[in-house]
Amino acid sequence: MILDDIVKDYIDRSVLCWLATSNQYNEPNVSPKEMFTWLDDETLLIAHIASPNSVNNIRLNPNVCVSLVDIFIQKGFKLKGTALIIEKTDTGFAPKLKQLTDLYSDRFPVQSLIEVRVNKVEPIKAPSYFLFPETTEISQVENAMKTYKVRPENS
């Protein structure tokens, strides 16, 4: 199982993910995605709403990396794998699109779908966790709240 319950939880509660691709000249491109979900233990599904560079790059080089980070805890995951573009005319498009619109909305003009077969998961942690062993998720959240000048809803 590549996508375990912890990774799936991060996917479920992330507001954005970041899709990294590269073109034929190995020039990188990183693009935010706001409609995404996991399909099974090794597949991530992302809506292509307005990312022609990402789609063009995937057609040339299917190797991608998707990052998910909880900005308050400052931890997350990198999901590396190969991507496939699913067009509106493809048989599997409608049921997969429905999974996304059921979670989000159907108000976005989804051009196609990006299906990522994940073959490697790596944790992401802020340097504080390595540099200062006393760092905890609670202390990271407290510091982030101060830095971003936000408070939890129940405060």
Side-chain angles (χ1 to χ4, degrees), residues 18-149:
W18 298 89
L19 175 65
T21 62
S22 63
N23 66 16
Q24 70 269 29
Y25 306 109
N26 292 319
E27 297 169 329
N29 180 67
V30 176
S31 179
K33 307 292 179 228
E34 65 181 297
M35 286 180 68
F36 55 94
T37 191
W38 54 272
L39 292 180
D40 56 39
D41 292 344
E42 54 189 37
T43 311
L44 185 68
L45 184 66
I46 303 170
H48 158 40
I49 298 168
S51 300
N53 288 337
S54 296
V55 170
N56 289 337
N57 286 351
I58 289 167
R59 291 186 199 289
L60 295 167
N61 178 358
N63 297 307
V64 300
C65 180
V66 177
S67 295
L68 307 145
V69 175
D70 181 314
I71 62 165
F72 293 106
I73 296 173
Q74 298 181 19
K75 285 183 180 178
F77 293 96
K78 285 190 282 188
L79 312 177
K80 296 180 179 183
T82 55
L84 172 71
I85 305 302
I86 301 172
E87 303 292 350
K88 289 181 180 180
T89 55
D90 293 344
T91 322
F93 181 85
K96 289 178 180 175
L97 176 63
K98 183 172 179 355
Q99 289 183 277
L100 288 170
T101 57
D102 285 353
L103 286 171
Y104 296 95
S105 165
D106 62 358
R107 71 184 179 110
F108 293 104
V110 176
Q111 307 300 312
S112 60
L113 300 172
I114 302 166
E115 189 174 278
V116 179
R117 178 71 70 191
V118 179
N119 56 39
K120 188 172 188 180
V121 174
E122 297 176 6
I124 297 172
K125 288 184 180 183
S128 299
Y129 288 102
F130 304 108
L131 296 173
F132 309 105
E134 68 278 5
T135 299
T136 64
E137 289 184 0
I138 292 170
S139 68
Q140 286 295 85
V141 170
E142 289 170 354
N143 289 332
M145 294 287 177
K146 287 178 195 169
T147 300
Y148 302 127
K149 297 177 178 55

